[in-house]
Amino acid sequence: MQNNDRYDFRAIEKKWQQRWEEEKPDRVHEEPGRKKYYVLEMFPYPSGRIHMGHVRNYSIGDVIARYKRMQGFHVIHPMGWDAFGLPAENAALKRGIHPATWTYDNIAYMRDQLKAMGLSYDWDRELATCNPEYYRWEQLLFLQMLERGLAYRRETTVNWCNDCRTVLAREQVIDGACWRCDQPVEPKTMHGWFFRITDYADELLDDLDQLTGWPEKVVTMQRNWIGKSQGLECDFRVENSDQVVTIFTTRPDTIFGVTFMSLAAEHPLVEELIRGTEREEEVRTFIRQTIVEKQRASVEDELEKKGIFTGAWCINPFNGERVPIYVANFVLMEYGTGAVMAVPAHDQRDFEFARKYGLPIRPVVQPPEGDLDGAAMEQAWEGPGVLADSGPFTGMASEKAKQAIIRHAEDKGFGRVRTTYRLRDWGISRQRYWGAPIPVIHCPSCGIVPVPEDELPVVLPGTDSPDGSHAPLHQQESFYRTTCPSCGGEAKRETDTMDTFVESSWYFARYTSPREEKAPINREAAAYWLPVDQYIGGVEHAILHLLYSRFFTKVLRDLGYLEIDEPFTNLLTQGMVIKDGAKMSKSKGNVVDPSELIEQYGADTVRLFSLFAAPPERDLEWNAAGVDGASRFLNRVFRLVQANLDCFRAGTVEAAALDGTSRKLHRKTHQTIKRVTDSIESNFHFNTAISAIMELINETGNLLAADNQAVDRAVVREALETTLLLLFPMVPHFCEEMWETTGHDQQIAAARWPVFDPEAAREDELTIVVQVNGKVRARLQVPADIGDEQLKELAMADERVRKFSGGKAAKKVIVVKKKLVNIVV
């Protein structure tokens, strides 16, 4: 044993990181029959530096990984890089270097930063999505999806970011701006590639019920995004035309209250309705303005409701009434049919529109409490009720009427039952360089031709040289000029690259066999390791990444690579790191560099602070004093261990022979084991776990300070060893050093998590609060196994209780077991 009186974190952390680098203790392989545990944090974009959000996220994951290993699980804990994307391309352009150079330099720097934190990753599984050895398999998956009809190309109006020169998925438009550069988004018509995620809409929705380990907030967000609705699809014939306006409604019970029709600005029927009419130019101007406004707004935005009359009318098939047709800015072409029957009496949006444009409001569903008057209504009645002025359905309850009205429409041939979804197919085409090329060829004779599998990967040009071109692929003739693999004629490669969310939608599966050379995923390895048992990341990925990953998992299953339905059994969404009342960011100038903190305090102190400052799901408020506090605590543990090295020569604890002081510390040790284990197991509340360990250290130090000789040395050894074992997942360098210092032959990483002994943790005495009429009047020290009746007698006999009860007989005596007695007089 060595005895140092100073906690030299720099020397300690350097020593253990070097040993871990050499020994690779966290490298794992499949061991059939052994219980596995897969813990994964969302992999980072290699921006150049880790930030405090990374520190928090990866510290949480590392504690879980180390804790599970100590429990005997075979733990896989990989790390890699989400390396494609516009930021690297833009940064490279700004600096006049190649995106590959920028990306790989950043990866090297950030890898060193992560290793400096002492994170227990299996670095042999490291991957970078910009490596052709990764995206070659993604291209193969694309071709297999293309063959099955799950990937297709069509013309579409897209969200175009002029600043980034690329298409954005609808989910990537936030408040009308690009999620990357925050510049306005505009509509643009072009061809693009899509994944048919809608084929999996029902399964994606139904399987949400399996995700009991996910936050309910995330499950709800996905459920709403998929947006399944069932109702009536009905045809309204256009007056003096053979055309029809087809609507979808979940409220067929209100169909007799239709007073106007609303069409989306992009609805193909609008052109026919206005062509050659006096309203044509005015309507066209409105449509152009509306499309721009809608493209710039997110789906959740509440736009001012605007519309314009087309001059055309349609006929309500249920009552034969003429209904004016409007173009309205609040109707979405991609939801339902792009046409909405407007019932202002029973839909608030329609109500506001009708009031604005002077349209009739006709109540046809009366609430239980009275009759509605359309002229006097101040807001729509959207609840159920009894139908009124609804022909043969008048007097029916609205829920019953819905089914009757649908049957009537089916019988008459102008309506049918239909299910619709808010979810739309995933547009994956991007028009930038730094992404995975889409592996198809366009031939004038043969059409779209897949690149032969033996010619994969289609490699980005210029990546083999720092001076290589990184212009968008449609500007690189040497890339796109090729021959058709089918007919041999001149052809053109696809110049779009894939959305970077494609790479992150299956990386967790590739981690199970990152060096597999014959397939995207080794089936046996995936069957052993998947699903991910604990996934950790920000709630901002609730819709994009998590939904796409669920979709890809089901596709990979159907392609025969996986045996699971869902990728992530449990999900932890950690909070942000806040400083000066705002999220840490360069733009706000409130960033704290973790590397500087590690240099000043050491990685273990920084880890301990990030875990102690707040529960993981809550935002963490930056506090420099908190880092100092974490440092002081580790120094106190260090001094306490060094001052009691002799106790590590003591034998095992003989519980039956312990006196009061020693029994007290023995009891506190086992109570701490239970508290820490419960805090980790129940909700990963490492803050309360650390607090419990701090209490144990305080108790140990205080008892030793009061009378060092009064405490059994084996009990001191038990308390200090337990402290190190419980702290190890959080501060691994420190605990490994202390474990070695105290004479252990094996590393602490090989030790098992301490076992809680209920008998040892049991209190000898309890402090019972005694109340008289709800006010605390006494406290009693009683045996822990005292019965309720005996406790009542002791409470009633207490002198202070008798004083405050005034000698009155008790009306009632309430006992809260092992906590309090309340006497009512």
Side-chain angles (χ1 to χ4, degrees):
M1 303 182 201
Q2 60 181 29
N3 192 334
N4 302 312
D5 56 8
R6 186 174 66 88
Y7 168 39
D8 186 351
F9 64 81
R10 290 188 181 87
I12 290 171
E13 291 179 2
K14 180 180 179 181
K15 166 186 170 180
W16 287 102
Q17 286 167 22
Q18 183 175 343
R19 188 174 295 185
W20 294 333
E21 186 77 24
E22 294 169 355
E23 298 175 358
K24 298 185 176 181
D26 306 307
R27 178 175 52 189
V28 292
H29 305 284
E30 297 81 55
E31 293 187 21
R34 187 176 174 191
K35 192 172 183 181
K36 66 88 183 180
Y37 193 90
Y38 188 167
V39 58
L40 181 65
E41 306 95 63
M42 294 178 185
F43 65 169
Y45 178 77
S47 58
R49 300 288 187 274
I50 65 170
H51 51 67
M52 283 304 297
H54 288 130
V55 170
R56 189 183 192 198
N57 191 23
Y58 304 144
S59 295
I60 291 169
D62 198 51
V63 173
I64 296 170
R66 293 181 183 275
Y67 170 71
K68 289 296 181 180
R69 289 191 193 102
M70 294 178 77
Q71 288 192 314
F73 287 89
H74 194 40
V75 175
I76 182 174
H77 187 207
M79 174 50 70
W81 312 95
D82 190 10
F84 272 139
L86 283 171
E89 193 168 347
N90 291 340
L93 285 170
K94 184 177 179 181
R95 291 162 176 79
I97 60 176
H98 197 281
T101 303
W102 166 258
T103 300
Y104 283 111
D105 285 351
N106 287 348
I107 287 174
Y109 188 89
M110 292 177 70
R111 184 192 300 115
D112 287 344
Q113 286 187 298
L114 295 182
K115 288 184 176 181
M117 285 180 59
L119 301 168
S120 60
Y121 293 126
D122 180 354
W123 285 104
D124 284 2
R125 295 178 183 271
E126 181 183 12
L127 58 80
T129 59
C130 64
N131 189 321
E133 288 305 306
Y134 181 84
Y135 67 74
R136 67 173 288 192
W137 300 117
E138 185 166 294
Q139 291 173 341
L140 176 62
L141 294 174
F142 177 93
L143 295 179
Q144 292 173 341
M145 292 172 73
L146 180 65
E147 184 180 10
R148 286 185 169 226
L150 292 172
Y152 66 95
R153 187 173 185 258
R154 64 174 169 85
E155 189 177 78
T156 181
T157 301
V158 298
N159 301 306
W160 177 259
C161 176
N162 202 48
D163 203 60
C164 295
R165 308 298 298 172
T166 194
V167 172
L168 301 175
R170 180 173 58 154
E171 300 92 330
Q172 294 168 320
V173 179
I174 300 173
D175 297 329
C178 172
W179 75 302
R180 284 292 194 190
C181 70
D182 206 33
Q183 294 303 305
V185 172
E186 300 174 356
K188 187 173 183 178
T189 301
M190 62 193 306
H191 280 91
W193 287 94
F194 291 80
F195 284 152
R196 209 179 296 274
I197 191 173
T198 52
D199 277 11
Y200 289 82
D202 278 322
E203 189 179 358
L204 287 167
L205 185 63
D206 293 343
D207 286 357
L208 287 171
D209 293 335
Q210 298 180 21
L211 304 180
T212 56
W214 285 36
E216 187 57 38
K217 175 184 178 182
V218 176
V219 173
T220 299
M221 290 170 74
Q222 290 213 1
R223 197 182 304 278
N224 291 342
W225 189 260
I226 296 167
K228 183 177 182 178
S229 300
Q230 292 179 312
L232 169 68
E233 186 176 78
C234 186
D235 301 327
F236 284 58
R237 181 177 55 82
V238 177
E239 189 176 59
N240 301 321
S241 169
D242 58 0
Q243 296 286 348
V244 296
V245 177
T246 301
I247 61 94
F248 170 79
T249 179
T250 59
R251 290 294 306 272
D253 55 319
T254 67
I255 204 159
F256 283 83
V258 174
T259 61
F260 62 97
M261 181 68 66
S262 301
L263 301 184
E266 306 92 336
H267 198 292
L269 185 59
V270 174
E271 176 65 27
E272 296 187 37
L273 297 179
I274 65 172
R275 188 185 300 121
T277 70
E278 60 182 20
R279 303 190 63 83
E280 180 176 8
E281 192 52 44
E282 187 180 0
V283 174
R284 286 192 192 282
T285 299
F286 175 82
I287 288 173
R288 284 193 294 269
Q289 294 172 345
T290 297
I291 289 175
V292 170
E293 289 177 4
K294 286 167 69 174
Q295 293 290 138
R296 290 181 175 178
S298 69
V299 177
E300 290 77 13
D301 282 345
E302 190 68 30
L303 296 173
E304 178 192 355
K305 294 163 189 64
K306 294 185 287 187
I308 190 168
F309 180 44
T310 63
W313 300 72
C314 60
I315 307 299
N316 186 332
F318 280 87
N319 56 17
E321 288 189 355
R322 298 173 75 228
V323 177
I325 302 174
Y326 279 72
V327 176
N329 69 337
F330 54 80
V331 183
L332 301 175
M333 188 63 219
E334 62 267 27
Y335 185 72
T337 66
V340 175
M341 67 172 208
V343 187
H346 304 294
D347 182 277
Q348 186 61 29
R349 180 185 59 186
D350 295 342
F351 180 89
E352 294 170 8
F353 190 93
R355 282 279 188 255
K356 181 173 182 176
Y357 292 100
L359 296 163
I361 297 174
R362 181 191 305 149
V364 292
V365 177
Q366 294 291 350
E369 59 269 18
D371 293 337
L372 297 174
D373 178 356
M377 290 176 70
E378 296 182 358
Q379 63 182 27
W381 167 253
E382 296 181 328
V386 176
L387 268 64
D389 299 323
S390 297
F393 308 101
T394 298
M396 293 179 67
S398 52
E399 287 304 312
K400 183 179 179 181
K402 287 180 182 179
Q403 302 308 316
I405 287 171
I406 291 174
R407 285 195 300 270
H408 177 79
E410 289 177 323
D411 291 343
K412 296 296 185 181
F414 55 72
R416 61 216 65 91
V417 174
R418 188 186 168 196
T419 301
T420 65
Y421 300 87
R422 184 178 186 235
L423 181 69
R424 288 294 173 262
D425 282 344
W426 174 10
I428 66 161
S429 283
R430 300 295 179 265
Q431 290 68 47
R432 294 302 296 259
Y433 168 78
W434 193 234
I438 294 176
V440 297
I441 291 169
H442 299 277
C443 174
S445 302
C446 305
I448 293 174
V449 181
V451 172
E453 289 184 18
D454 61 3
E455 293 183 14
L456 297 179
V458 177
V459 178
L460 277 177
T463 54
D464 57 352
S465 168
D467 300 321
S469 172
H470 51 274
L473 298 182
H474 66 270
Q475 298 176 13
Q476 298 199 43
E477 186 176 356
S478 61
F479 170 79
Y480 65 71
R481 288 192 62 176
T482 188
T483 57
C484 174
S486 181
C487 71
E490 287 191 7
K492 181 179 179 182
R493 289 191 187 279
E494 174 61 65
T495 58
D496 285 355
T497 54
M498 289 191 234
D499 180 8
T500 55
F501 278 100
V502 178
E503 283 86 64
S504 61
S505 294
W506 71 287
Y507 78 108
F508 52 88
R510 181 64 181 174
Y511 273 144
T512 65
S513 52
R515 307 298 172 250
E516 173 62 50
E517 296 181 352
K518 296 180 180 179
I521 302 161
N522 180 286
R523 291 170 173 82
E524 290 74 23
Y528 178 77
W529 290 116
L530 291 173
V532 174
D533 295 282
Q534 183 64 60
Y535 199 37
I536 305 161
V539 73
E540 66 271 18
H541 299 292
I543 293 173
L544 289 170
H545 164 58
L546 291 172
L547 184 63
Y548 294 158
S549 296
R550 295 182 62 223
F551 163 62
F552 246 78
T553 297
K554 296 174 190 303
V555 171
L556 290 169
R557 175 202 61 198
D558 292 347
L559 291 173
Y561 294 110
L562 302 182
E563 298 176 2
I564 58 172
D565 298 324
E566 289 290 335
F568 315 120
T569 302
N570 298 290
L571 174 68
L572 172 63
T573 53
Q574 91 282 355
M576 298 183 295
V577 180
I578 306 295
K579 185 173 185 285
D580 303 328
K583 178 183 176 182
M584 280 192 183
S585 69
K586 292 179 182 178
S587 63
K588 293 184 173 63
N590 63 350
V591 171
V592 175
D593 187 345
S595 296
E596 294 178 5
L597 285 177
I598 290 172
E599 174 63 27
Q600 183 177 355
Y601 292 99
D604 282 338
T605 293
V606 177
R607 287 170 58 126
L608 190 67
F609 163 74
S610 72
L611 295 164
F612 181 59
E617 73 278 6
R618 302 275 186 87
D619 289 345
L620 184 158
E621 183 71 38
W622 168 255
N623 180 0
V627 185
D628 285 329
S631 178
R632 287 195 302 272
F633 172 68
L634 290 183
N635 274 278
R636 184 177 187 193
V637 177
F638 180 88
R639 291 192 299 271
L640 198 59
V641 171
Q642 294 289 350
N644 291 278
L645 288 176
D646 66 295
C647 77
F648 293 94
R649 293 190 290 268
T652 58
V653 174
E654 298 291 340
L658 297 179
D659 60 13
T661 303
S662 297
R663 184 184 300 277
K664 183 177 182 181
L665 182 56
H666 181 56
R667 179 170 55 244
K668 184 68 173 179
T669 297
H670 283 270
Q671 290 174 343
T672 303
I673 294 171
K674 180 168 176 25
R675 284 181 60 192
V676 172
T677 305
D678 288 350
S679 291
I680 296 175
E681 287 289 341
S682 61
N683 47 21
F684 299 127
H685 277 196
F686 306 118
N687 58 321
T688 58
I690 293 168
S691 179
I693 299 169
M694 289 177 170
E695 289 181 21
L696 175 59
I697 283 296
N698 289 339
E699 182 89 337
T700 305
N702 292 339
L703 290 175
L704 290 172
D707 187 351
N708 186 284
Q709 300 304 313
V711 187
D712 185 282
R713 301 309 283 166
V715 173
V716 177
R717 172 181 180 168
E718 178 189 49
L720 293 178
E721 283 188 342
T722 297
T723 295
L724 295 177
L725 289 166
L726 297 178
L727 272 177
F728 170 67
M730 305 165 198
V731 288
H733 312 85
F734 176 88
C735 292
E736 282 289 11
E737 183 68 17
M738 293 295 93
W739 198 252
E740 183 181 84
T741 298
T742 54
H744 292 85
D745 294 331
Q746 283 190 314
Q747 293 182 17
I748 195 172
R752 288 302 177 95
W753 189 254
V755 177
F756 157 67
D757 181 352
E759 183 60 29
R762 187 174 60 84
E763 292 281 358
D764 291 336
E765 286 190 336
L766 299 173
T767 300
I768 301 296
V769 173
V770 183
Q771 298 176 336
V772 177
N773 292 337
K775 294 185 178 181
V776 177
R777 299 305 187 187
R779 286 180 172 83
L780 306 177
Q781 292 297 123
V782 301
D785 58 357
I786 191 171
D788 288 356
E789 290 304 317
Q790 186 181 1
L791 186 57
K792 288 181 184 179
E793 292 176 9
L794 285 174
M796 294 294 292
D798 185 85
E799 184 177 338
R800 288 159 295 182
V801 171
R802 292 169 63 187
K803 172 185 174 183
F804 285 103
S805 62
K808 298 177 184 177
K811 296 178 182 177
K812 186 190 297 183
V813 180
I814 302 166
V815 176
V816 178
K817 203 166 189 65
K818 296 189 177 182
K819 288 189 176 180
L820 68 83
V821 178
N822 185 21
I823 301 168
V824 181
V825 297

